[in-house]
Amino acid sequence: MEDDDIPHDIPHDIPHDSPDASDGAPQLRPQSLMLAFFGNHVLEQGDLCVYSGSIIDVLGRVGVGEQAVRSTLTRMVSRGLLRRQREGRRMYFGLTEQATHVLRDGRTRIWRKGAVNDDWDGDWTLLGFSLPESRQRERHDLRSRLAWSGFGALYSGLWIAPGRVDVAAVVAELGLRDHVKIFHASADPAVDIGLMIRETWDLESIAARYVSFDKRWTAHLNAGPGDDPIGTRLRLVSEWLWTIRTDPRLPARHLPPEWPARPAQDTFRRVAEQTAAPAERLAAEALQTAPLR
C-alpha cells in the first residue's frame, strides 16, 4: 500500500507504517517520524523553523538516514505540510497551516481524548452514501477518512461511529455533499450493542496493537530511561499514534473484559512523563532554530 492510500484526518498526509513481524513494532516511515518531531518540538513553540541539519541529526537517532530525511523534507514541502526558509547558506523548515491542523488533531487524540472511552452517552453518528463504480477512488477516499474519524462499516454504504462525530467538513472537502447523508441517533433497546461492535470493528486486531505496544514500552521502563530522551520520545509518540489510528474509541462498557487500551495508555503516559523534561532540555541545546517569517 502506498502513502496516498492511507487514512488520516487530512488525506495523504500521514503515511502508512507497517508492523514488524518480529515483535509487532511498526516500521515507522520517515514522514511519520518527521511529523512527530515537529509535533514534539515545534508545534507549541509558535512561529519557529528548524535547521535541516538539526532535523537530520534527530531523525538519525531513530535510524533515518540523511538522504531519506532530505527527500522527506522535499516531499512534505511539495505536499504543503512544510515550508522552506533560507537563512544565509542554511535551509530551515517550519510548519504550514495544514500541518499544524494535522498535528493539533493528533495532539487531541493523544492527550485530550485518550484511548479509553468511559463517558459515552449512548449517541451514534450514522453516515450513508451511494457512489457509482466509476467513482471508486472517491469511495476509497471517503472510507479512509471515515475510518480515521472512528467509523466502521455497519453495512457497505452505511457507516457508524460512537458519539457525535462532525464529519461534514470531511464530506465537503471530498466534494461528496450530494452523495452523503449524516444522522445522529441512539440504538433501540433491542439492539445488542456489544455484538454490533464485534461485527463492525476488528477488535482482535485493535487489541493486538495495544498489547504489543504495552509489552515493548513496559520493557523500556524496566530498562531505565536511557541516554537519548529525544529519540525515545520521538519513537514513543510515533508508535502510539500508529497504535491508536485504527481505534474508534468504542464505549468501554461494551468492550471485552480487560480491554488492553487502558494499561497500554498508562504505559505510554509513564514513558512520556519520564522523557518530557529531558527531551525538552536536550532539544533546547541541540536544535538550531530561527523565527518563521
Side-chain angles (χ1 to χ4, degrees):
M1 188 177 289
E2 300 297 326
D3 289 11
D4 287 352
D5 296 328
I6 303 307
H8 197 270
D9 182 52
I10 294 178
H12 320 324
D13 290 346
I14 303 299
H16 179 59
D17 300 306
S18 303
D20 184 332
S22 61
D23 64 355
Q27 296 177 326
L28 300 168
R29 293 194 178 186
Q31 187 171 301
S32 296
L33 293 162
M34 187 77 73
L35 283 169
F37 166 77
F38 276 93
N40 282 340
H41 302 294
V42 178
L43 182 63
E44 299 302 325
Q45 303 302 318
D47 294 333
L48 192 72
C49 55
V50 184
Y51 170 48
S52 61
S54 295
I55 300 172
I56 290 168
D57 173 69
V58 171
L59 267 69
R61 297 166 184 254
V62 289
V64 182
E66 178 176 346
Q67 186 55 46
V69 173
R70 292 190 183 279
S71 62
T72 300
L73 287 169
T74 299
R75 185 167 62 251
M76 292 177 73
V77 169
S78 68
R79 290 182 172 182
L81 293 170
L82 295 177
R83 52 183 290 189
R84 289 189 183 97
Q85 180 172 305
R86 183 174 293 279
E87 298 286 336
R89 300 180 62 183
R90 291 183 166 186
M91 191 65 71
Y92 289 68
F93 292 84
L95 294 170
T96 62
E97 183 178 345
Q98 184 181 15
T100 298
H101 175 79
V102 171
L103 292 175
R104 285 177 176 164
D105 176 70
R107 182 181 61 187
T108 298
R109 280 287 292 272
I110 292 174
W111 302 109
R112 191 174 304 165
K113 291 183 178 179
V116 181
N117 187 352
D118 286 321
D119 54 2
W120 179 64
D121 62 3
D123 282 347
W124 297 92
T125 299
L126 293 161
L127 183 146
F129 66 91
S130 178
L131 289 166
E133 186 65 28
S134 61
R135 304 184 71 171
Q136 184 175 1
R137 178 67 192 192
E138 290 166 284
R139 282 211 316 266
H140 169 79
D141 287 345
L142 177 61
R143 288 167 177 163
S144 296
R145 298 287 291 277
L146 290 176
W148 170 253
S149 298
F151 284 81
L154 191 60
Y155 300 106
S156 61
L158 182 62
W159 287 55
I160 188 170
R164 295 183 68 87
V165 182
D166 184 4
V167 288
V170 169
V171 172
E173 185 180 330
L174 294 173
L176 297 177
R177 280 177 173 157
D178 294 339
H179 303 273
V180 170
K181 300 293 184 293
I182 302 169
F183 304 89
H184 300 285
S186 58
D188 186 88
V191 174
D192 185 334
I193 294 177
L195 176 61
M196 182 198 73
I197 285 174
R198 293 193 298 273
E199 292 176 341
T200 304
W201 286 276
D202 185 356
L203 296 187
E204 184 176 346
S205 176
I206 296 170
R209 289 193 179 207
Y210 283 119
V211 170
S212 176
F213 178 93
D214 194 24
K215 181 179 179 180
R216 287 193 308 278
W217 287 96
T218 297
H220 171 85
L221 281 169
N222 293 336
D227 58 359
D228 183 15
I230 289 183
T232 298
R233 191 172 179 84
L234 185 58
R235 187 159 195 91
L236 172 76
V237 172
S238 299
E239 287 193 19
W240 184 243
L241 277 170
W242 178 83
T243 300
I244 66 174
R245 69 180 299 134
T246 59
D247 184 357
R249 296 186 76 249
L250 297 162
R253 65 178 180 266
H254 291 292
L255 291 171
E258 300 181 359
W259 182 246
R262 197 180 303 274
Q265 178 172 268
D266 290 344
T267 298
F268 165 74
R269 289 179 173 173
R270 287 171 62 198
V271 181
E273 182 179 2
Q274 182 186 74
T275 56
E280 185 176 352
R281 285 195 301 269
L282 188 56
E285 297 170 0
L287 298 182
Q288 299 179 50
T289 63
L292 191 63
R293 298 194 300 268

